[in-house]
Amino acid sequence: MSADPIVIPPIDWSLLAPFVSLVLGGIAVTLMAVGPPSWRRHTGHAALLVLVPPAWFLWRLGSSPGGAVETMSGMVVMDHFSIGFHALFLLTAALALLLAVPVLADARRQHGGDSAEYDALVLFATAGMMLMSSSTNLLILFLGLEVLSLPLYVLVGFSRTQDRSMESSVKYFLLGAFSTGFTIYGMALMYAATGTLDLSRLPEEAAEGSTLLMLGFGLTLVGFLFKIAAFPFHFWLPDVYQGAPTSVTAFMIAGTKAAAFAAVLRLVTSSPALWEGPVADEWARLLSVLAMLTMTAGNVVALVQTDIKRMLACSSIAHAGYLMIAVVTRSGDGVAGVLYYLAAYLFMNLGAFAVVLAIDRARGSHAPGDPIASYAGLARRHPLLAAAMALFMLSLTGVPLTGGFLGKFYIFSAAIEANLYPLAAVGLLNSALAAAYYLNVILVMYMREPQAEAPGVRLPLPLGAGIALSAAGVIYLGIFPGRFLEFARTLLL
């Protein structure tokens, strides 16, 4: 008896062009990294240029008429949802690469080695993010998760001369590999319960009280909750973010969280069985409790931090809780709120870490940690840098006329419209609690005198450009939200 022939699904390469161009660009930058010294010095600029073709392909796909288009037998989809998140990932990568230019130049001067592979790893991680947000198939979703995770394990330990960075890399790798095991096992159980890896074809009858499906879905979520750093999978985050190079922390705190939320939303919105019905009610109740615990745990731990990188890392746990509220609403406004909040979160966090990077370079590599006390008197030494940091702290707090305020407003509004009043109340109380440690940074910069002679801050052009772009993004989203929000509301159409 002859075996059935293997059928290769048709592939529309025009839809895969953003992924393919990004991966090919990453390979080209990798080849530059092993080329002559004159090439290795410009890998950062080349990586920034590599982001242009994917952005152009996305613009072409977004401006073409019609709705969602699929390829590879529906395993990869290009719609408003994926295009919106892809743009967010490319912007995150561009700002992260911009911030890394002076850091890598310093490393080459001080240690004489090459660090050109850094830029290629960022590009490959970005390709993984994009694949996660476009997948409606569990296998492709897992592939995107791994393409994202593997470069991050290396990037966290990129400062090979610092023991703290190497320790963070080992912690992240071991915990990440452990959580990945939960994810793949959960996907296997979902396949056993439904007989398909395609979320859009998940049968309705399997969702009616299926314990196996609920168990598989819960285990699958574990891997993504780890990336989000939701309670109780958040303990790794402060140590890893503090030990990683600051530019890597900035990339992870914005990009990884956005990719994980894109994957969770794609996971639940692609299937009516997971978006509505008994299973949806079960996971929504579970995430509601986790959202409350995540917000509270993140803010309470951030209150007692004296290191600014640890403080921002712990506060990102709380922001994950705010975003989980929007997912629990299971509404178009909630999904739009996620994209809007992540865009604001991108600018205010990358901007804040850019300032941290500038202060860190001024203090020198020998100085331990990044204490908040080192920001005392910054308003006198560098008023523009202090003003930018104050703007980012106010936006993270949720002060009006900033992107952070409107992001929280849309999320809490969606929760109230979904009758999730306890969630909205806990979110508001936690926002007030967060003001204590965010405003403390402003107080230190403007009201405290430095205990010793503070070094002057020299701001390289790439770093200054990153801070300026981040500040402009925060202000634009806070004052002119209409156009972006209008696009965000089309994500589920």
Side-chain angles (χ1 to χ4, degrees):
M1 185 174 61
S2 61
D4 294 333
I6 298 175
V7 178
I8 300 176
I11 298 176
D12 186 347
W13 291 104
S14 65
L15 298 183
L16 297 180
F19 309 100
V20 174
S21 59
L22 192 59
V23 171
L24 291 178
I27 294 173
V29 173
T30 304
L31 294 176
M32 290 180 65
V34 296
S38 59
W39 289 13
R40 295 196 291 268
R41 285 195 297 269
H42 298 289
T43 54
H45 305 95
L48 285 169
L49 290 176
V50 166
L51 299 176
V52 176
W56 184 81
F57 287 125
L58 286 179
W59 178 79
R60 288 290 303 272
L61 289 170
S63 59
S64 61
V69 284
E70 301 175 346
T71 186
M72 297 176 64
S73 296
M75 291 190 289
V76 176
V77 63
M78 228 12 126
D79 53 10
H80 284 172
F81 182 94
S82 55
I83 290 172
F85 274 99
H86 287 186
L88 205 63
F89 300 147
L90 291 176
L91 187 57
T92 303
L95 287 173
L97 288 170
L98 201 61
L99 301 188
V101 169
V103 179
L104 298 180
D106 290 344
R108 282 192 291 268
R109 283 195 297 269
Q110 294 171 7
H111 307 295
D114 290 311
S115 48
E117 64 273 17
Y118 176 100
D119 306 297
L121 290 170
V122 170
L123 294 176
F124 290 133
T126 306
M129 296 177 190
M130 294 171 65
L131 192 59
M132 287 171 67
S133 64
S134 285
S135 172
T136 59
N137 182 279
L138 291 175
L139 188 60
I140 302 299
L141 190 62
F142 180 76
L143 178 63
L145 177 64
E146 289 304 287
V147 173
L148 165 65
S149 299
L150 293 176
L152 290 181
Y153 297 147
V154 180
L155 286 171
V156 170
F158 204 79
S159 297
R160 291 181 286 271
T161 58
Q162 298 183 11
D163 293 338
R164 189 174 60 181
S165 179
M166 300 303 294
E167 178 187 349
S168 298
S169 180
V170 172
K171 285 181 180 179
Y172 189 49
F173 171 72
L174 292 177
L175 291 173
F178 191 64
S179 68
T180 298
F182 279 98
T183 301
I184 194 65
Y185 186 54
M187 289 179 175
L189 291 180
M190 289 182 68
Y191 177 74
T194 62
T196 180
L197 292 171
D198 195 334
L199 293 168
S200 61
R201 295 184 176 90
L202 192 146
E204 293 287 347
E205 59 269 17
E208 297 176 1
S210 173
T211 304
L212 191 60
L213 175 62
M214 189 60 194
L215 179 61
F217 182 70
L219 290 175
T220 301
L221 276 181
V222 167
F224 298 116
L225 291 176
F226 172 82
K227 292 295 183 186
I228 293 169
F231 183 92
F233 310 105
H234 65 287
F235 292 101
W236 61 272
L237 188 136
D239 289 340
V240 171
Y241 279 18
Q242 184 184 26
T246 303
S247 56
V248 174
T249 304
F251 177 65
M252 290 178 63
I253 205 169
T256 307
K257 195 177 298 293
F261 271 104
V264 170
L265 286 172
R266 181 64 82 182
L267 191 64
V268 297
T269 59
S270 295
S271 170
L274 294 176
W275 190 242
E276 302 168 349
V279 172
D281 293 336
E282 290 293 329
W283 69 253
R285 280 193 288 269
L286 174 63
L287 283 189
S288 296
V289 175
L290 291 181
M292 293 182 186
L293 293 173
T294 301
M295 286 183 286
T296 306
N299 282 322
V300 169
V301 176
L303 273 172
V304 298
Q305 300 302 320
T306 57
D307 185 283
I308 196 162
K309 282 182 71 174
R310 287 187 72 89
M311 183 271 284
L312 289 172
C314 294
S315 75
S316 74
I317 299 171
H319 287 281
Y322 303 141
L323 287 159
M324 288 168 69
I325 295 176
V327 177
V328 171
T329 63
R330 289 183 288 160
S331 65
D333 286 341
V335 176
V338 169
L339 183 64
Y340 191 94
Y341 195 93
L342 285 172
Y345 185 79
L346 153 69
F347 288 119
M348 52 198 183
N349 267 287
L350 277 168
F353 274 102
V355 176
V356 171
L357 190 55
I359 301 299
D360 191 43
R361 292 179 75 251
R363 294 175 63 239
S365 59
H366 62 279
D370 298 277
I372 297 175
S374 64
Y375 290 71
L378 182 63
R380 289 197 184 93
R381 304 197 313 271
H382 206 305
L384 290 179
L385 201 60
M389 190 61 161
L391 173 65
F392 301 135
M393 293 297 105
L394 291 174
S395 184
L396 286 164
T397 305
V399 173
L401 300 181
T402 63
F405 168 75
L406 287 180
K408 288 182 179 178
F409 175 79
Y410 294 135
I411 285 177
F412 296 153
S413 297
I416 291 172
E417 289 178 6
N419 297 321
L420 299 173
Y421 301 112
L423 263 181
V426 173
L428 288 170
L429 289 174
N430 272 279
S431 295
L433 181 63
Y437 55 84
Y438 286 133
L439 298 181
N440 177 57
V441 177
I442 300 177
L443 177 68
V444 169
M445 291 190 301
Y446 283 88
M447 305 296 290
R448 302 275 173 83
E449 293 292 337
Q451 296 178 350
E453 184 68 24
V457 180
R458 186 177 63 86
L459 205 59
L461 180 60
L463 204 54
I467 295 173
L469 289 172
S470 299
V474 168
I475 295 171
Y476 177 82
L477 288 176
I479 300 177
F480 307 105
R483 195 164 185 178
F484 188 86
L485 187 63
E486 182 181 352
F487 171 80
R489 282 175 174 156
T490 67
L491 295 186
L492 289 184
L493 295 181

